[in-house]
Amino acid sequence: GKQKTTDDYKRIADEFNIAAETCRKNGIRFAYHNHDYSFRLQDGRYPQDILMQNANHANMDFEMDIYWVVSAEQDPVTWLKKYPNRFQLCHVKDRKKGVAPKPGEPNLSCIVGTGSIDFASILKEAKKHGMKHYILEQEAYEKAPIECVKEGADYLTSLKF
């Protein structure tokens, strides 16, 4: 589809506020999960900034998909520090080594702990800046998905942060 404008992202943040209020009234919490596009500079701004600055943080959370932030050639820790306590959940999804990020690439996820993302330092910082929920995710597999998830979970269990 057509690339969204900065005004489109402001409208989306307004829609988030409506959805978040509806969720709050019904005892649940609304959260937004990013992909790479919101962390790519557009018209001199990052769409993620527009969403975070215009969404009412009292009513909603942001779930950082670390893989997509890295795929957009951004540093997850920089964003965690910029918006402390706003990213309450994260997808811990690793990225194959040795492949330079580019927009529209195929899914390059791999077993968590075997790829290029430094989860030991990122997750330690994430915890300091308000991360509460760490969700292991993998979307491309070299062997049975259950084996991949087991290896990724073992790796995460071994991390101290």
Side-chain angles (χ1 to χ4, degrees):
K2 183 173 87 60
Q3 189 174 31
K4 290 180 174 45
T5 66
T6 52
D7 284 342
D8 289 331
Y9 286 105
K10 286 178 186 160
R11 278 193 292 279
I12 291 167
D14 290 340
E15 291 171 15
F16 284 177
N17 288 330
I18 293 165
E21 179 60 19
T22 301
C23 289
R24 188 191 64 75
K25 286 178 181 169
N26 288 281
I28 57 176
R29 192 138 171 103
F30 180 81
Y32 171 74
H33 168 292
N34 65 273
H35 280 239
D36 59 340
Y37 58 83
S38 64
F39 285 90
R40 292 187 186 280
L41 205 57
Q42 193 177 312
D43 298 327
R45 296 187 70 190
Y46 291 102
Q48 190 72 30
D49 277 323
I50 297 168
L51 295 174
M52 298 194 82
Q53 290 163 9
N54 290 279
N56 178 354
H57 65 273
N59 281 351
M60 73 170 284
D61 298 318
F62 285 84
E63 176 180 17
M64 179 186 282
D65 188 310
I66 296 168
Y67 169 97
W68 286 118
V69 176
V70 171
S71 293
E73 299 182 90
Q74 294 290 309
D75 174 20
V77 173
T78 299
W79 285 87
L80 290 163
K81 288 178 177 177
K82 186 175 187 178
Y83 295 104
N85 302 309
R86 298 289 304 278
F87 292 102
Q88 301 274 316
L89 316 96
C90 66
H91 269 172
V92 180
K93 179 169 57 182
D94 216 340
R95 180 187 165 77
K96 285 182 183 169
K97 290 179 178 171
V99 187
K102 65 179 192 287
E105 69 188 10
N107 195 301
L108 297 170
S109 78
C110 60
I111 296 168
V112 170
T114 67
S116 62
I117 299 177
D118 178 5
F119 288 111
S121 62
I122 293 169
L123 298 182
K124 185 177 183 180
E125 287 296 318
K127 186 176 182 181
K128 282 187 206 167
H129 296 286
M131 191 69 69
K132 292 187 172 75
H133 307 283
Y134 306 83
I135 302 156
L136 185 144
E137 183 182 32
Q138 186 174 340
E139 296 180 298
Y141 306 94
E142 294 106 34
K143 56 185 170 183
I146 193 71
E147 291 301 316
C148 295
V149 170
K150 183 183 180 315
E151 288 179 32
D154 288 346
Y155 166 76
L156 286 179
T157 301
S158 75
L159 284 183
K160 301 289 181 251
F161 61 90

